[in-house]
Amino acid sequence: MKDAMVIPTYQDMLDAHERIKPHIRRTPIRTSDYLNDLTGAQLFFKCENFQEPGAFKVRGASNAVFGLSDELAAKGVATHSSGNHASCLSYAAMLRGIPCNVVMPRTAPQAKKDTVRRYGGVITECEPSTSSREETFARVQAATGGDFVHPYNDPRVIAGQGTCAREVMEQTDGLDMMVAPIGGGGMISGTCLTLATLAPEVKVIAAEPEQADDAYRSFMAGHIIADDAPKTIADGLLVPLKDLTWHFVKNHVSEIYTASDAEIVDAMKLIWKHLRIVMEPSSAVPLATILKNPEAFAGKRVGIIVTGGNVDLDKLPWI
Amino acid sequence: MKDAMVIPTYQDMLDAHERIKPHIRRTPIRTSDYLNDLTGAQLFFKCENFQEPGAFKVRGASNAVFGLSDELAAKGVATHSSGNHASCLSYAAMLRGIPCNVVMPRTAPQAKKDTVRRYGGVITECEPSTSSREETFARVQAATGGDFVHPYNDPRVIAGQGTCAREVMEQTDGLDMMVAPIGGGGMISGTCLTLATLAPEVKVIAAEPEQADDAYRSFMAGHIIADDAPKTIADGLLVPLKDLTWHFVKNHVSEIYTASDAEIVDAMKLIWKHLRIVMEPSSAVPLATILKNPEAFAGKRVGIIVTGGNVDLDKLPWI
């Protein structure tokens, strides 16, 4: 998988859905008359923040974990992540009863480490640098033999994330577009994978923080541009595209819109207030871009993926 | 209605449900493995905070508004309330296109006044005293002829609130008990009304703030005890029982448990973190009492009404 790029197929997504259904939630769609009036669009928010571990990433992680043969599964899984992928992979491994090793920077928030450990994940800390992370991860993987599940550049993960768009299409009566945040591009790629076959008339739109707009610049340039350490309130969206996600972005995404951190925080507060759900700054980027580009969305039926709900309730960005 | 007490029937609740279905949401049930592990119970949270105006009170208000004859409806509705009933009645009146007059203390939070006005409600301010409120309300009602919809001591309102317990029974596979917060007793009375016929094996339990425990003391004493101005973080639960709600509490409630303000805030934060929903302090009282009395709930299937989600996001009680 690491040498030749394996592009997941629509059938992979269908298989993933059958495989993971017993282990994930079919999350509801939330709507708000207030937000519809405000945007002039009809917005359908898919609440992936309601997954038990709080993020859509449980879909791809479960697909990877439950797709392993018993022999491979016995050695467990391994990844490097300081975010939702680490806790979702630990959660899926716990459900299957196999080990999960996670390399995390020692500077990662204590709450994220606690969540991984609550789900039985074993953390090996590294320094907060790429070289330390890669060296540490190689050592952990050599010692455990665990199957590497990349946070997004993995066909099993992308096929798993694609199940979300399939549910949205089942839960709504037709859409004009679907908007999701873009970081590494796992959710956007899964959405493209699914809609290209299931509903090619539905445009896929990516929403990105201005302060980490490497996907936007890649999209404009026609090749991957990766930033060194971008900083934005949308801390789930800091990572760059990789070859597999770039394949989907390049071929199927219609637009990438960006929004400033202040606009993201405003949109987040609007969602908390009017949809009454707890979600992360990263998940507010779609609404922020819709409010910023009303002409592109007015009169349209728009699916929005609320990607996650893990946020520090003691440090809300508007307080 | 004001002289002879009219007790709503099960059929009134069924009729209410048919009447209001087009105007309310069938809100989802949320569950959390984490909270189930923590309590040793199976908890089913009915998300009435997801009603468009943010509270279950839209059920009773809609039943009153849409049950009026065209002749009566033309004069509109009127009430006194500084909380969710005012906005929910305004919302229902807006849907029917009739006037709604609300008497509110001039000291009520600006956000609550704004919400009532957004839904077209006309506010007449009074001084924050019972005498001023009654005098002002009498004047407003005489001038407009609007039908008085009491926040809870009204059979139409109680029949409307009872539709929530009916949905919970349809959405779960049997329960041992249902817990709701108690203030004036409208939701608890509706729950009793419904379950007494639909599922008499399900115990109805009321949850009340220690600092406004007049229902608990009434329950123990066998007659209504009303406090003068109790103070608690659970600001939706300050009002006393009235004859109609006392009828249901006295005859059908199994237990009333209480929790301190600190326990309520802890429970609220747990719900925000693990169910990832935005709800009010009042709606956290059930979980607070469950955590305080684990032996009463362990091993049980427990429905919990999350009554509302209107909270000031700039002033969260744990910050």
Side-chain angles (χ1 to χ4, degrees), chain A residues 140-193:
Chain A
V140 166
Q141 208 191 359
T144 63
D147 190 78
F148 177 34
V149 184
H150 189 280
Y152 52 92
N153 203 50
D154 182 313
R156 304 168 297 178
V157 170
I158 290 172
Q161 320 305 33
T163 62
C164 182
R166 187 185 188 213
E167 290 178 16
V168 176
M169 294 313 295
E170 289 168 355
Q171 291 169 304
T172 54
D173 194 23
L175 292 177
D176 297 303
M177 38 186 61
M178 206 173 299
V179 192
I182 189 161
M187 172 48 81
I188 279 288
S189 296
T191 303
C192 291
L193 167 62

Side-chain angles (χ1 to χ4, degrees), chain B residues 55-184:
Chain B
F56 77 86
K57 286 174 187 258
V58 70
R59 295 176 183 268
S62 298
N63 190 42
V65 163
F66 286 94
L68 292 173
S69 68
D70 288 345
E71 192 183 359
L72 278 175
K75 294 180 178 172
V77 287
T79 197
H80 48 74
S81 159
S82 56
N84 283 325
H85 179 65
S87 47
C88 288
L89 190 67
S90 302
Y91 176 79
M94 178 186 73
L95 293 187
R96 184 152 182 190
I98 64 173
C100 178
N101 278 279
V102 180
V103 171
M104 287 178 100
R106 62 172 173 73
T107 52
Q110 189 60 37
K112 302 220 165 176
K113 294 180 189 170
D114 291 347
T115 304
V116 166
R117 291 197 177 107
R118 176 149 60 82
Y119 295 139
V122 175
I123 296 172
T124 304
E125 294 191 353
C126 64
E127 293 304 307
S129 71
T130 305
S131 59
S132 171
R133 188 194 67 202
E134 289 181 352
E135 181 272 320
T136 310
F137 183 74
R139 194 159 36 81
V140 167
Q141 210 192 359
T144 64
D147 190 79
F148 176 35
V149 183
H150 189 278
Y152 52 93
N153 204 50
D154 182 314
R156 303 167 299 176
V157 170
I158 290 172
Q161 320 305 32
T163 62
C164 182
R166 187 186 187 209
E167 290 179 16
V168 176
M169 295 313 296
E170 289 169 355
Q171 291 169 304
T172 54
D173 194 22
L175 292 177
D176 297 303
M177 38 187 61
M178 206 173 298
V179 192
I182 189 161

